[in-house]
Amino acid sequence: MSAADRDGGGRTALLVIDVLNDYDHPDGDALRPSAHAAAPVIGRLIDEAHARDVLVVHVNDQHDRWDIGAEDLVALARRGSPDELVDPIVPRKGSPFLLKARHSAFYATPLEYLLERAGVARVILTGQVTEQCILYSALDAYVRHLDVVVPRAAVAHIDEELAAAALRMMEANLHAEVVDEQVDWG
């Protein structure tokens, strides 16, 4: 039974995962083209979510620095990408911003508690990397009985084949709704 079935509805939240990145790492060159294609789509979804009063939560890798915050990560991203690709995905004032240590947005973060307190039953996953952090976050959402939506144009990958397999796994095993770009905000 899904969270929406259990509580008669529930809110939707847009999760923006690991988008603040300078691409200065071993997978950076492989990730960059897909991330650049996904960034404007993620930006549009963030705009839509805010316009609809949908909770937008940014969860970002801390790059092995626990003293880093959102502003520092935005500066790091600006070093690796032009402003027109960073500006749409910058966390807005008032949007929750969480740091994560490992692949899942839920692992060792207060995300589950935040979503539960906000009455969220459905999450829309966007960001990087489809075959890693998006997949593991989808699994963790699923085991927490959250409904999962993944707009394929709003997730970036390192390996196109692994990303396609990850999306198929999310659909088949986690009952995720994988959509092109448009989402039903619920």
Side-chain angles (χ1 to χ4, degrees):
M1 175 186 305
S2 73
D5 293 333
R6 255 195 339 272
D7 67 13
R11 289 181 68 191
T12 295
L14 178 68
L15 302 186
V16 183
I17 301 169
D18 287 343
V19 296
L20 299 175
N21 189 330
D22 66 357
Y23 306 100
D24 185 20
H25 51 80
D27 293 321
D29 288 340
L31 174 59
R32 187 186 313 265
S34 180
H36 283 210
V41 178
I42 296 168
R44 283 194 297 280
L45 291 172
I46 291 170
D47 289 344
E48 261 188 76
H50 282 292
R52 296 171 180 271
D53 199 29
V54 169
L55 177 64
V56 177
V57 182
H58 292 260
V59 185
N60 216 93
D61 186 274
Q62 40 67 24
H63 303 276
D64 292 324
R65 289 194 42 211
W66 290 105
D67 63 334
I68 202 164
E71 289 178 11
D72 298 319
L73 283 167
V74 169
L76 178 101
R78 289 193 192 288
R79 286 198 304 261
S81 296
D83 287 348
E84 64 268 12
L85 292 174
V86 176
D87 291 344
I89 58 176
V90 169
R92 294 186 186 172
K93 186 173 177 70
S95 289
F97 180 86
L98 308 174
L99 291 176
K100 69 181 189 65
R102 300 293 293 170
H103 293 76
S104 173
F106 289 89
Y107 179 75
T109 74
L111 180 60
E112 179 177 12
Y113 182 77
L114 186 158
L115 297 176
E116 184 179 288
R117 296 293 295 169
V120 170
R122 183 172 171 258
V123 291
I124 300 169
L125 303 182
T126 66
Q128 303 174 23
V129 166
T130 309
E131 65 272 26
Q132 295 173 13
C133 302
I134 301 300
L135 174 62
Y136 300 137
S137 297
L139 174 60
D140 277 353
Y142 174 76
V143 300
R144 287 164 174 80
H145 302 283
L146 294 166
D147 294 327
V148 176
V149 177
V150 182
R152 79 177 80 245
V155 290
H157 59 268
I158 294 168
D159 182 295
E160 191 171 1
E161 289 180 20
L162 289 177
L167 290 169
R168 286 193 308 275
M169 287 174 56
M170 287 182 237
E171 281 184 305
N173 299 341
L174 310 179
H175 308 288
E177 181 185 354
V178 177
V179 299
D180 287 324
E181 183 175 332
Q182 298 299 321
V183 299
D184 172 9
W185 293 97

